[in-house]
Amino acid sequence: MTAVADPILASVLQRRIQAISKEMATVLMRSSRSPIFNEIGDLVTVVFDRDGRTLAQTEYASIIANGAQPPLAHIIRTFAGDLADGDVILHNDVYTGGNQNADVGVFVPIFHKGELVAWTASKGHVADIGGMTAGGYDPNAREVWQEAFRIPPLKLYDAGVLRRDVWDLVCANIRLDIVTEDIRSMIGACTIGKRRLLEVFERYGVEVVDRHMGYVIEASERQVRAEIERWPDGVYTGESWMVSDGLDPTACYRIAVRITVAGSEITFDFSETDDQAPGFTNMPPASATGAIRIAFLMLLNAAGVDVPTNHGLFEPITTVFREGSLLNPRFPASTIFGNQMCDEVLEAIFMALAPALPDRVTAGWNQLLCTVLACIDPRTRAQSVTLTIFQRGGPGAMQGADGFDALGFTGTPGSMRSPDMEMFELSSPHEMLEYEYLPDSAGAGEWRGGYGTRSRWRCYGEDELGVTIGDDVRAEGAQPAPGLFGGEPGGLNELTLRFPDGSVRQWGSKEIIYPIPVGTVCESLNGGGGGYGDPKRRDPVKVFEEVRDGLCSRERAREVYGVEIEPELGGWDQAATERLRA
């Protein structure tokens, strides 16, 4: 007779394994060297079963988290019959399951009494991974070898013994010592996870753990399928646009989705998306799948559906990407920008599902705009690479809720952190001059979009190179985050360089600038998200409060929201407001 799982024990084990993944993340963040890890949290830690099914994960960067499983499937095939206790496997290659070459993963098989029982993995965005430009982002890259050092499944440790020649090969192709030290931190996090999991297997036994975690996965799948069955069956289409491919600033690419909801199944078909780009604005399937999963989780969470992140959560989903398209480029296309295309993927999905799920979707999010800055730090004479991820736009509003202010990139919603400004100054040769909300940047609506930010910093690094990562930069063809159901669009992004000689230059989307003179001031205006619903229906008290707080101008309150603010900010004029709104 087949043993039955105990729901209480299943819950206990699920939470124990989730706690292990959280401990791994804590170890990784506290032991790593790069601010991209320990300040921003551009990483994920995961626990898998022996077959590569996700049991639990702790994601700070969701786009990486949901792209961590595809490499493991390839690793398991590659090393079938050739795995041993003490192995450590390194991987980043987008053509063998990776989501971005800069997102490097460490995978550790776990053996109990000679039997493979599980895997731990750590994955994060490293400060450099070779290629022709420090930091990896170069709009001129036309093939994968130009942008990164490719690492297909590669054993760093074989049965617990470091393969020194392999380690030296990896180190020889990376510019920064902090990257190899961060890889050691990832190994350490996986090792901690391995120890904790072995304690669980020792206490409960392999068969009990497998049976109960299988029950958790099946329960998650049932819960998700029950929710999808409440969605109206049908076929829904949506699209978004990306402007500039890094080579042609006027090029426009369409990201199009056809979503089919049928019973408890949902299919995301991106076959009608435009053909792949000649430059680095292509998205590998693992990254595109990660973006779809983020959108799907948002739809679930909007309904209050709380499901543990595991393999069962995504079983009802089918994804289709046409080979040779932006979301499934043919080898050897460059793809380093792919993660940032999460913005367009989510926008296309939400625009498609807005008629069917108006209470679940958000209006458009302001698309990411930040920079990668590489230079020589005059304080140490060492190479410095930094991400200015503090440049944050606003997300879209949804029915019943304003967008969060300055939440930032859709690929890391609410989880990847802005770096502390003092740490930004300590870890890179830049001085922060200003950082605040950007007034009037939020798309108006009954529920407004989130506000974006204004930031200014001075560069004093030597031989500095900068690359913009992102979209919606004010230029021909740029489209702001769209509003929904009468809501207005958000604001566009704008990036300006003010050089020491007094000259000014607009810094475009996916544009590389070299050199950036010492003393240059960079000013970034990051727009807000789209609004939801008629702005004339917004609560006048909320409009007044935002005018009082300096977020919304008096003119915008009157012209867009139809709210007349009294002199000296004494309140709002009810009679005048009623006339304006009439």
Side-chain angles (χ1 to χ4, degrees), residues 36-37 39-43 59-64 125 340 368 370 387 389 392 406-409 411-419:
I36 300 174
F37 277 48
E39 278 291 305
I40 297 173
D42 198 350
L43 55 86
E59 67 270 13
Y60 285 87
S62 302
I63 190 67
I64 301 178
H125 185 109
Q340 281 65 46
L368 172 72
C370 70
L387 287 173
I389 203 72
R392 297 216 166 194
L407 190 65
F409 177 39
T412 57
S415 51
M416 198 165 83
R417 310 176 303 184
S418 286

Side-chain angles (χ1 to χ4, degrees), residues 298 302 343 346-347 350-351 358-368 392-410 413 441-452 472 480-485 487-491 527-533 538:
M298 288 184 183
D343 290 327
L346 262 72
E347 185 173 294
F350 287 163
M351 294 304 108
D359 58 337
R360 308 287 185 85
V361 300
T362 71
W365 291 43
N366 171 264
Q367 294 190 7
L368 172 72
R392 297 216 166 194
M398 65 181 299
Q399 188 180 102
D402 294 340
F404 286 99
D405 299 325
L407 190 65
F409 177 39
T410 58
S441 59
E446 182 175 2
W447 298 281
R448 63 154 175 84
Y451 281 97
D472 280 1
L484 279 178
F485 305 108
E488 296 203 346
Y532 188 110
R538 184 165 178 78

